[in-house]
Amino acid sequence: AKDVLAQLRAQGVSTSLLSGDRITTTEQVAHILGITDYQGDLTPPEKITHLQLLKAKGARVLMVGDGLNDAPSLSIADVSMS
């Protein structure tokens, strides 16, 4: 994942980590992956709000989720992976 994210950033793709995990865990994972834009302790509605804000700014959003609680966010992204 670290290499893939680095390649995406090299191509000008913005990356963010939105997680329901504790902020300390989210921060550790973000640091390992080289992600500087991250948020932890998010609820599913908070993730949706963040994605809606990105889309309102004209971003095309790819959402990668790993749990059932990500289904609402996955459904509003332009492209989704789980």
Side-chain angles (χ1 to χ4, degrees), residues 14-25:
S14 299
T15 59
S16 301
L17 175 59
L18 306 176
S19 178
D21 293 330
R22 291 176 291 159
I23 188 64
T24 54
T25 302

Side-chain angles (χ1 to χ4, degrees), residues 47-66:
K47 290 179 186 179
I48 289 170
T49 299
H50 186 80
L51 297 180
Q52 288 172 330
L53 289 171
L54 288 172
K55 291 180 76 167
K57 293 178 183 177
R60 289 177 291 164
V61 176
L62 163 65
M63 171 73 181
V64 179
D66 66 351

Side-chain angles (χ1 to χ4, degrees), residues 43-45 47-48 51 63-82:
T43 64
K47 290 179 186 179
I48 289 170
L51 297 180
M63 171 73 181
V64 179
D66 66 351
L68 286 175
N69 65 333
D70 290 321
S73 299
L74 291 165
S75 71
I76 67 160
D78 296 301
V79 177
S80 301
M81 297 172 62
S82 63

Side-chain angles (χ1 to χ4, degrees), residues 4-14:
V4 170
L5 290 169
Q7 290 176 10
L8 289 170
R9 284 190 296 273
Q11 295 174 29
V13 175
S14 299

